[in-house]
Amino acid sequence: RRLFSFPLFDELNDDLQLFVEQQAANSSGDRLLSAQLPANVLPATQVGFDATYQPDIHICRVQHFPAMARCSIDCIERRLRICFEMMGLFIGSHPWWFLITPLILSAGLGSGFYFLKDRMSNNIEDQFTPVDGKAKMERKYIEETFPGNDSVFSRLRLSTSGSYATLIATSDRNILTAEPLKDILDLDFKVKAMAVQLGNQSFDYSDICAEVMGVCTSNAILDIIKYDAKNMDNVSLTFPWYHSDFQSLPLHLSLGSVKLNPESSVVESAKAIQLHYYLREDDKAKTDLWLENFINVVSNDSSASIQVSYCTSMSMQWEFEKSPASVIYLFSITYAIAITFSIISCWRSDNVRTKVWVAFCGVLSTGLAVLSSFGALLLLGQPFVMTVASCPFMILGIGLDDMFIMISCWQRTRVLDTVPDRLAGTYKEAAVSITITSLTDALALLLGYSSPFGSVRSFCLYAAMSVCFCYLFNITFLGACMALNGQREAGNKHWFTCAKIPEDVPSRTSKAFSICCVGGSYNRITEKEETEPVSHIFERFYGPFLTHKLIKASVFVIYMGYLAVGIYGCLMLKEGLDIRNLALDGSYIIGYYNNQRQHFSEYSYSVMVAVKQTFPYWDEDEQKLLHSCISNFESLNYVNSTLAWFLSFQRYANATGINISSQEAFRTHLPRFLELNSMFRQDVNFTADNHIQASRFFIQTLNRTTGEDMMVGLRKAAAECPLELLVYHPAFIYFDQYTVILDTTIQTVLLAVTVMLAVSLVLISNPLCSVWVAFAICSVIVGVTGFMALWGINLDSISMINLVMCIGFSVDFSAHMTYSFVSSPKSDVNQKATDALAHLGCPILQGAFSTILGVVVLSMSGSYIFRTFFKIVFLVITFGLLHGLVFIPVFLTLFKASGTWC
């Protein structure tokens, strides 16, 4: 039976009847035949005809139907299939060109890896905080308005974290006893006396320390006991502030897990002491070298009475930069696993029909794609962030998924056709499907490039480029490999020796010969390769089982349960990146952060509050306004106290009996006060004519809420004040991610779903099925987001990368299945679902397993970033597979997606 569709005149003439009969008479077999009409029958008005020829009775029946009554919405898809069919025909005829050219291109672009070291950009602040975060603007104002004074160092007034080393000494008993204090003093002496060699120059702590009036900054607790453990018995410590004759010292910065006398603020015991060593920032080479030596000295020091944890201002950055090296060895393991799985999946017992070399080339194609894309972007000067190191694992899964689809389509072509014809048929069936998934993957990633996080931008750009090259190499390099493998099959040659072998087992041959040296069989009825056993399972068992009415109802109930758990998890989702997660497991800084949280968690940040306008501080009525604003801050349950130069000036005036209630008196006595209290001089910004144009004060916060809530609450209190105020702390740079991560993720996901819907509407000929693809994306994202929250993963810039990637991955399985469902020639929806499962169930399953195997080794990584990548990819593939093989086929049948449109 042969089917012809022609655009004709309204009246069927004799020439057409004769033409159809001639076409039928000259054809043989069951192949679909397409033909062009003679020039004399071109239509003035288009009309459609279905022509059927039955060779046994030599009758040609032509069924007429109006073309305009059957509104065609698959014009783009149809033309795309024709283009790919022609491409397959050309590549199949000239395979060597398309095999060698990608290799040369990859070698050329791969030269960009020469610049990898120069392109590395792993600054934590740049990559994991919002590019245009509000706190960065606030910091810029603080630095311009209140520049630091190198001769009068103040930790409180730093606009950044500064350059420092710190250690926490802990003890199971009271650390304020002679033995632990002696060990702490010995360690302090070793640190300060440590000689560091830089070239021919030797220096120690005193040469690079931050100074106050020419003296290195010191630690309050050691100053109080005058660097002698025996003096501890003669000192009565008060907490949180220790008041001496000349100054008040913030003891809460030095003592942790303090036990106070029930009737006073006198310290009875403590379990931790923290020491800080601040350095000047004018010579980074020296400070970095000193910090490295500090780590070596402290890490090698041991004591029976204290346990020491330590950290430096550069420790997190250095530990973060070790993460890529921790997964380099995993690349080789991953690709070995991928090659092994691909070969096993493509292995056939038939020595001719086996696809071993195609499987190997499929893995090689993804490797070339990564090499080319990374190299091209490195040549273009794009920064390379550590998060990009997870791209190859993702691309491996995408590439192998496409490879399995192409192999499946190749096996459905006629064995007796020429290689170019078989490849043309393969491209005609597979290319549109893999075009949809590759296009949606790339677009989803490019949309993620709009993120305010540098790490997300870099990942999305590298990953999108990798997807594009993966697609390019799959339709060129991999297609050429399939063509060459097809030529071997056409010659009935052995897959390994390439020697021609018999198709049938010769008589009187050994069993080993029949296993190793025979091949080339195929189905003589369909003239196609034998179907894989897994495809038989999908067609004969799983498809009918899934489309049973009772099973459909059960699937719907299961889906509602899945959705409910996913939504519950979304409501439990926490936001923000814990900076500690950037360090490798087992890093020394983990112990430091744990001790800091355990022993020094009561007091939080000392936050700057800048008054950004001129203000009459001498006016009592105006002072009430300022005091009202301070009261609003102090009314917050996480604000402990306020430190302000104007409050201290008022106390100074009261103590000395001077009157500062007039502008003239205020301006007259203020310089003397600032001379006596040099630290406060940094809190006042004077104009050229000695007017105060801006000033700042500080509020001490308690650890009673999250950093995000504290920052938002303080900003809200500042906004409610009639004065123009600004609140800032260096930690706000990182807290800003909390304010944008959720909105940014939602916007990106919604935009991506819209774009995915548009793409599928253009490339899939059934609009309702396109809607189902968009539905699958949303459904998978809800599930992944909810379950990742239940798995202990926060919504941060790391997981956002994976959610953006999730959008692309979630399209793959649903798009493949939906497209196959629409393309099925079956009329009944259950049969269409079964047919789609039979055709694509096996390659989808193979693609899912290959992707999981590609990332499973990351679960062994010591890096939170790569473990998170594994967890989310695992969830994406699991839920994507569940939708592609269970939910979508059932929903398509329930809602009759095969209905005719127009």
Side-chain angles (χ1 to χ4, degrees):
R1 178 173 175 174
R2 297 172 184 83
L3 178 67
F4 301 85
S5 296
F6 301 107
L8 302 173
F9 291 110
D10 288 335
E11 301 295 333
L12 184 66
N13 55 33
D14 294 338
D15 291 339
L16 171 63
Q17 181 70 30
L18 177 63
F19 175 76
V20 173
E21 291 178 353
Q22 288 175 346
Q23 290 291 332
N26 294 332
S27 305
S28 60
D30 290 331
R31 300 170 57 191
L32 290 178
L33 184 65
S34 61
Q36 297 292 329
L37 288 177
N40 63 330
V41 292
L42 290 177
T45 303
Q46 288 196 342
V47 178
F49 290 85
D50 280 345
T52 306
Y53 172 68
Q54 294 177 308
D56 53 337
I57 56 177
H58 301 284
I59 295 176
C60 179
R61 299 195 305 270
V62 180
Q63 181 181 358
H64 167 274
F65 61 91
M68 293 306 295
R70 192 169 170 266
C71 175
S72 176
I73 60 172
D74 62 345
C75 55
I76 295 179
E77 176 208 353
R78 205 160 13 92
R79 285 169 172 75
L80 199 59
R81 287 164 68 95
I82 293 172
C83 291
F84 277 116
E85 185 178 12
M86 295 172 61
M87 182 185 296
L89 192 67
F90 186 76
I91 293 174
S93 302
H94 309 85
W96 286 106
W97 285 104
F98 294 92
L99 182 75
I100 296 173
T101 303
L103 291 174
I104 296 174
L105 178 64
S106 296
L109 293 177
S111 62
F113 276 86
Y114 174 81
F115 303 100
L116 178 60
K117 187 175 180 180
D118 296 332
R119 304 287 190 260
M120 293 293 287
S121 178
N122 285 324
N123 183 279
I124 293 176
E125 181 183 309
D126 291 343
Q127 302 303 330
F128 295 96
T129 62
V131 174
D132 54 352
K134 184 177 180 180
K136 291 181 178 178
M137 302 298 104
E138 294 167 345
R139 180 175 62 186
K140 183 179 180 182
Y141 173 83
I142 293 294
E143 290 176 342
E144 291 175 350
T145 309
F146 308 103
N149 188 336
D150 291 338
S151 63
V152 187
F153 174 80
S154 173
R155 173 188 178 184
L156 190 66
R157 293 163 175 82
L158 287 173
S159 61
T160 64
S161 61
S163 181
Y164 65 88
T166 181
L167 62 88
I168 297 177
T170 60
S171 177
D172 296 332
R173 49 198 177 98
N174 184 9
I175 202 168
L176 298 175
T177 54
E179 186 179 358
L181 284 175
K182 183 178 182 301
D183 289 337
I184 292 173
L185 289 168
D186 288 342
L187 183 56
D188 176 69
F189 176 79
K190 289 179 182 178
V191 169
K192 291 180 177 178
M194 177 179 64
V196 180
Q197 195 73 28
L198 178 61
N200 297 325
Q201 182 183 7
S202 180
F203 62 94
D204 59 18
Y205 176 68
S206 62
D207 296 317
I208 60 171
C209 66
E211 297 178 345
V212 179
M213 308 304 290
V215 180
C216 288
T217 56
S218 56
N219 292 282
I221 184 64
L222 301 185
D223 288 339
I224 292 170
I225 65 173
K226 299 178 181 178
Y227 294 85
D228 189 343
K230 297 177 182 178
N231 291 336
M232 190 68 239
D233 297 333
N234 303 321
V235 175
S236 179
L237 297 178
T238 55
F239 190 87
W241 288 84
Y242 175 77
H243 302 284
S244 66
D245 296 336
F246 304 101
Q247 58 184 338
S248 295
L249 301 175
L251 211 56
H252 61 84
L253 299 176
S254 301
L255 289 184
S257 295
V258 176
K259 181 181 179 182
L260 299 178
N261 186 305
E263 299 178 356
S264 66
S265 60
V266 176
V267 177
E268 288 189 348
S269 66
K271 290 189 175 181
I273 288 179
Q274 182 165 12
L275 304 182
H276 292 90
Y277 303 92
Y278 281 92
L279 311 176
R280 294 196 306 270
E281 299 182 63
D282 53 353
D283 192 335
K284 184 170 174 56
K286 277 189 175 183
T287 56
D288 285 356
L289 188 58
W290 189 91
L291 294 175
E292 290 176 5
N293 279 266
F294 169 85
I295 293 172
N296 293 332
V297 168
V298 178
S299 62
N300 293 323
D301 187 79
S302 61
S303 171
S305 62
I306 59 172
Q307 298 80 46
V308 178
S309 58
Y310 51 94
C311 184
T312 74
S313 55
M314 291 298 297
S315 289
M316 183 57 72
Q317 183 66 45
W318 290 338
E319 290 297 292
F320 173 66
E321 291 172 356
K322 293 179 182 177
S323 295
S326 69
V327 297
I328 288 177
Y329 74 99
L330 296 178
F331 284 111
S332 56
I333 298 175
T334 296
Y335 275 84
I337 292 174
I339 291 173
T340 303
F341 174 78
S342 300
I343 289 176
I344 292 174
S345 299
C346 298
W347 181 271
R348 306 289 182 270
S349 58
D350 190 302
N351 291 294
V352 172
R353 304 298 172 199
T354 186
K355 304 294 187 292
V356 172
W357 292 115
V358 176
F360 178 81
C361 290
V363 178
L364 178 60
S365 179
T366 63
L368 294 176
V370 172
L371 178 67
S372 300
S373 57
F374 282 29
L377 290 173
L378 290 171
L379 285 172
L380 293 173
Q382 288 298 321
F384 187 94
V385 183
M386 190 267 284
T387 51
V388 175
S390 55
C391 279
F393 299 93
M394 178 193 74
I395 299 303
L396 182 61
I398 294 175
L400 293 185
D401 180 41
D402 292 346
M403 179 194 74
F404 289 129
I405 297 292
M406 292 178 69
I407 290 176
S408 176
C409 292
W410 171 274
Q411 290 176 312
R412 294 201 297 271
T413 59
R414 293 180 69 252
V415 171
L416 298 181
D417 282 348
T418 63
V419 170
D421 285 340
R422 294 191 70 181
L423 195 62
T426 299
Y427 274 40
K428 182 179 179 181
E429 295 300 321
V432 174
S433 183
I434 67 174
T435 297
I436 294 172
T437 56
S438 298
L439 182 59
T440 51
D441 286 340
L443 286 176
L445 290 164
L446 288 175
L447 289 172
Y449 188 73
S450 62
S451 167
F453 297 96
S455 57
V456 178
R457 289 183 178 183
S458 186
F459 174 88
C460 289
L461 184 60
Y462 274 86
M465 183 69 81
S466 297
V467 169
C468 293
F469 271 97
C470 184
Y471 173 71
L472 175 65
F473 287 167
N474 276 341
I475 62 175
T476 55
F477 178 81
L478 182 59
C481 293
M482 292 181 70
L484 293 173
N485 191 70
Q487 291 177 5
R488 178 189 59 77
E489 291 182 14
N492 218 67
K493 296 179 180 180
H494 195 279
W495 71 271
F496 186 72
T497 64
C498 287
K500 191 167 184 176
I501 59 176
E503 181 179 338
D504 299 317
V505 181
S507 58
R508 300 178 182 178
T509 56
S510 64
K511 187 176 181 179
F513 181 87
S514 64
I515 294 175
C516 301
C517 303
V518 173
S521 63
Y522 59 94
N523 190 315
R524 300 292 178 176
I525 299 175
T526 63
E527 297 182 353
K528 298 177 182 179
E529 296 183 26
E530 295 292 343
T531 307
E532 299 167 84
V534 178
S535 297
H536 278 297
I537 294 174
F538 275 103
E539 182 176 11
R540 297 181 182 179
F541 301 103
Y542 181 72
F545 169 78
L546 187 65
T547 53
H548 190 276
K549 291 183 178 179
L550 184 60
I551 301 302
K552 287 183 182 180
S554 301
V555 167
F556 187 78
V557 172
I558 292 172
Y559 177 76
M560 295 308 295
Y562 156 84
L563 197 60
V565 176
I567 293 174
Y568 170 76
C570 290
L571 298 176
M572 302 296 292
L573 184 65
K574 296 180 180 179
E575 300 171 38
L577 174 66
D578 188 340
I579 197 70
R580 293 177 300 173
N581 288 332
L582 296 179
L584 294 173
D585 296 345
S587 170
Y588 62 88
I589 63 176
I590 301 298
Y592 168 80
Y593 280 117
N594 290 338
N595 280 331
Q596 190 179 54
R597 174 173 292 182
Q598 180 181 353
H599 300 292
F600 296 90
S601 60
E602 181 179 359
Y603 289 86
S604 188
Y605 304 102
S606 293
V607 179
M608 301 181 194
V609 182
V611 182
K612 299 175 63 178
Q613 64 183 65
T614 58
F615 183 79
Y617 295 95
W618 53 86
D619 191 306
E620 292 185 3
D621 293 334
E622 294 293 337
Q623 285 179 15
K624 291 178 182 178
L625 185 62
L626 183 55
H627 285 296
S628 174
C629 294
I630 294 176
S631 297
N632 288 341
F633 284 117
E634 293 181 341
S635 66
L636 300 172
N637 69 335
Y638 47 82
V639 174
N640 177 253
S641 60
T642 302
L643 174 65
W645 67 271
F646 47 83
L647 296 179
S648 295
F649 186 31
Q650 185 66 56
R651 289 193 294 268
Y652 167 80
N654 294 336
T656 56
I658 60 176
N659 183 5
I660 56 171
S661 59
S662 66
Q663 180 178 0
E664 183 179 356
F666 188 92
R667 295 180 61 182
T668 300
H669 296 291
L670 180 59
R672 175 59 180 168
F673 168 76
L674 296 179
E675 184 180 343
L676 294 173
N677 300 271
S678 56
M679 289 296 181
F680 285 137
R681 180 63 184 82
Q682 301 179 58
D683 299 334
V684 186
N685 182 277
F686 291 98
T687 62
D689 56 354
N690 211 30
H691 282 85
I692 300 175
Q693 64 178 356
S695 69
R696 64 179 170 184
F697 59 95
F698 304 87
I699 51 178
Q700 177 64 51
T701 63
L702 301 173
N703 197 11
R704 293 179 180 174
T705 186
T706 63
E708 173 198 8
D709 290 341
M710 178 201 68
M711 179 184 71
V712 172
L714 293 177
R715 284 178 174 173
K716 182 179 179 181
E720 292 173 349
C721 177
L723 303 178
E724 190 177 358
L725 301 183
L726 174 151
V727 292
Y728 172 75
H729 187 276
F732 289 4
I733 299 290
Y734 298 92
F735 294 161
D736 263 341
Q737 62 177 303
Y738 295 94
T739 63
V740 300
I741 187 69
L742 182 60
D743 291 344
T744 300
T745 303
I746 292 174
Q747 290 171 9
T748 302
V749 169
L750 291 179
L751 181 59
V753 170
T754 304
V755 173
M756 301 304 106
L757 177 60
V759 171
S760 54
L761 279 171
V762 170
L763 297 180
I764 298 180
S765 59
N766 191 304
L768 186 58
C769 289
S770 301
V771 174
W772 278 113
V773 171
F775 159 79
I777 298 172
C778 297
S779 180
V780 171
I781 289 174
V782 169
V784 170
T785 306
F787 278 81
M788 85 177 194
L790 299 176
W791 205 346
I793 303 172
N794 289 358
L795 178 60
D796 51 39
S797 56
I798 305 297
S799 55
M800 183 184 176
I801 288 172
N802 296 283
L803 286 177
V804 171
M805 177 194 64
C806 163
I807 299 168
F809 266 123
S810 59
V811 174
D812 291 2
F813 300 139
S814 56
H816 285 318
M817 187 55 62
T818 304
Y819 183 78
S820 182
F821 182 94
V822 174
S823 303
S824 173
K826 307 292 184 181
S827 57
D828 180 73
V829 288
N830 289 335
Q831 292 178 353
K832 289 172 79 71
T834 301
D835 189 45
L837 288 166
H839 283 162
L840 288 181
C842 181
I844 283 178
L845 205 58
Q846 289 173 323
F849 276 114
S850 66
T851 303
I852 291 177
L853 288 175
V855 299
V856 70
V857 293
L858 294 180
S859 62
M860 301 181 293
S861 170
S863 169
Y864 165 84
I865 293 176
F866 294 111
R867 282 200 310 274
T868 299
F869 184 84
F870 159 73
K871 290 179 180 180
I872 297 184
V873 169
F874 178 81
L875 291 175
V876 170
I877 298 303
T878 300
F879 295 147
L881 191 64
L882 190 64
H883 280 73
L885 296 185
V886 181
F887 296 148
I888 293 299
V890 169
F891 292 160
L892 286 172
T893 61
L894 288 176
F895 292 90
K896 301 185 183 300
S898 61
T900 303
W901 290 68
C902 298

